[in-house]
Amino acid sequence: MKRESFRKGMKDGIPIALGYFAVSFTFGMMAVAGGLSIWQAVLISLTNLTSAGQFAGLDIIFAGGSMWEMAMTQLVINLRYCLMSFSLSQKFRREESGILKYIAAFGITDEIFGISAAQEGKVSVFYNYGAMCVAIPGWTLGTLVGGISGSLLPDFMLSALSVAIYGMFLAIIIPPSKKSKSVLGVVVASMAVSTIFAVIPVLKQVSSGFMIIITTLLVAGLAAYFCPVEEKEEASHES
Amino acid sequence: MSHNVYLYILVMAAVTYLIRMLPLALAKNEIRSPFIKSFLYYVPYACLAAMTFPAILKATDSIISGAAGFFVALIAAYKEKSLITVALLACAAVFIVERVLVFI
């Protein structure tokens, strides 16, 4: 049973690992271009395993932001994992011990959550371990290769690759915006608010980490107040 | 970089792990508050949107190529292409526009 779950997780994790490789390649490249060592970039990927949080963290490191700002930024950007963990806490087999679940917690990413939530009935933590066993090496190796080749790539290649992460973010947020008007409203409003931060002289001084925190809390808070989510809509949530 | 990089990494990793772990440790019951559930549901969209725009315009060598990457990614994402396809198409758009800009 364990072995079967593990194997299935590995199989479902392969496409995830390939996707991770490409994105973490960009991460490794940008981290090294900004002044981190290859080892530091790889260490970040290995210990964090999250795209948006790592890219935002990079900005804060380069800007010399405070530890408080770093912690708050990670908290807000990665708050979505909280929801996924809550959801998985209902989904994991009851008989599997807490410690086994705490290990699986490390591997709760948008994509791994997506595949384990899509399993029928209860899911074994060993399914998640299987997916983690291919996804984590994919993410870490991508960073390593990106960090090494970043210094070899010409400037125009770096410029083109620097939009990869934003392309991925759009691929996550646009399809649900087609199905739900409230999600569309949230996306448009967030972009508008962050544009205001970038344009208005006084607000320009707010660092990017706090800008993201303020925008997210404001827009998601207003949306939750005015357009509370129906149970059904939440079931289709997979970002 | 004024602070110790390893301290940043430790803070990042610890906060990120705790967010993933604490719900599993604490949630014996499901969250009931519709406001909190809705809030958590909207957070990823608000956050990723705020991170993407207008930052994408400044990510490349020129604002024009950044805008091209943004619009191509927007269209590809609207057509529900996979994450990788959207990301690579955006890169390709930036690459092509920057080649063209050289001649203008």
Side-chain angles (χ1 to χ4, degrees), chain A residues 125-165:
Chain A
V125 290
F126 287 91
Y127 176 81
N128 285 53
Y129 294 168
M132 286 160 75
C133 274
V134 286
I136 296 173
W139 184 247
T140 310
L141 285 176
T143 308
L144 178 67
V145 177
I148 293 170
S149 49
S151 48
L152 306 173
L153 291 176
D155 274 352
F156 62 87
M157 291 287 287
L158 294 180
S159 177
L161 282 169
S162 60
V163 294
I165 183 69

Side-chain angles (χ1 to χ4, degrees), chain A residues 7-219:
Chain A
R7 267 203 207 131
K8 186 155 193 310
M10 276 183 83
K11 194 169 140 260
D12 294 347
I14 291 169
I16 296 179
L18 292 176
Y20 278 3
F21 188 92
V23 174
S24 67
F25 180 94
T26 319
F27 175 79
M29 195 192 76
M30 286 175 66
V32 173
L36 292 191
S37 71
I38 293 171
W39 150 248
Q40 288 167 336
V42 169
L43 184 67
I44 293 177
S45 284
L46 189 62
T47 54
N48 281 262
L49 197 69
T50 172
S51 60
Q54 287 185 204
F55 278 92
L58 215 51
D59 284 345
I60 295 173
I61 294 176
F62 293 154
S66 66
M67 293 300 157
W68 167 243
E69 183 184 1
M70 176 64 97
M72 287 302 293
T73 305
Q74 297 301 317
L75 177 67
V76 171
I77 289 175
N78 292 330
L79 203 55
R80 63 190 192 282
Y81 295 138
C82 191
L83 177 71
M84 295 173 190
S85 273
F86 269 119
S87 166
L88 283 181
S89 70
Q90 319 289 317
K91 181 96 180 163
F92 281 139
R93 290 176 190 283
R94 292 233 169 257
E95 66 271 21
E96 287 170 338
S97 75
I99 293 171
L100 289 178
K101 288 172 189 166
Y102 300 158
I103 298 170
F106 179 74
I108 297 174
T109 65
D110 299 340
E111 293 76 13
I112 293 177
F113 168 76
I115 58 169
S116 49
Q119 299 301 303
E120 281 203 19
K122 294 279 179 187
V123 67
S124 164
V125 290
F126 287 91
Y127 176 81
N128 285 53
Y129 294 168
M132 286 160 75
C133 274
V134 286
I136 296 173
W139 184 247
T140 310
L141 285 176
T143 308
L144 178 67
V145 177
I148 293 170
S149 49
S151 48
L152 306 173
L153 291 176
D155 274 352
F156 62 87
M157 291 287 287
L158 294 180
S159 177
L161 282 169
S162 60
V163 294
I165 183 69
Y166 301 115
M168 200 188 82
F169 291 164
L170 289 169
I172 293 171
I173 62 180
I174 298 301
S177 305
K178 285 165 67 180
K179 295 183 197 92
S180 156
K181 281 209 178 97
S182 51
V183 173
L184 178 65
V186 164
V187 167
V188 172
S190 282
M191 289 185 176
V193 173
S194 61
T195 305
I196 291 171
F197 270 103
V199 174
I200 308 278
V202 185
L203 296 176
K204 257 190 200 171
Q205 291 158 10
V206 178
S207 70
S208 68
F210 278 120
M211 181 279 284
I212 292 164
I213 294 171
I214 296 166
T215 307
T216 304
L217 296 180
L218 182 73
V219 175

Side-chain angles (χ1 to χ4, degrees), chain A residues 39 48-49 64-65 78 85-86 102 105-106 108 156 159-160 162 166-167 169 178 182 190 194-195 216 227 229 231, chain B residues 3 6 8 12 16-17 19-20 25 27 37-38 41-42 46-47 51-53 59 61 78 80 86 91 98-99:
Chain A
W39 150 248
N48 281 262
L49 197 69
N78 292 330
S85 273
F86 269 119
Y102 300 158
F106 179 74
I108 297 174
F156 62 87
S159 177
S162 60
Y166 301 115
F169 291 164
K178 285 165 67 180
S182 51
S190 282
S194 61
T195 305
T216 304
C227 322
V229 183
E231 282 295 322
Chain B
H3 300 276
Y6 293 99
Y8 279 123
M12 285 172 79
T16 306
Y17 179 70
I19 294 166
R20 288 165 162 158
K37 282 178 108 166
S38 304
Y41 170 79
Y42 287 125
C47 170
M51 287 182 75
T52 301
F53 194 87
D61 289 342
Y78 188 80
E80 310 206 2
V86 175
C91 295
E98 287 185 354
R99 288 315 88 206

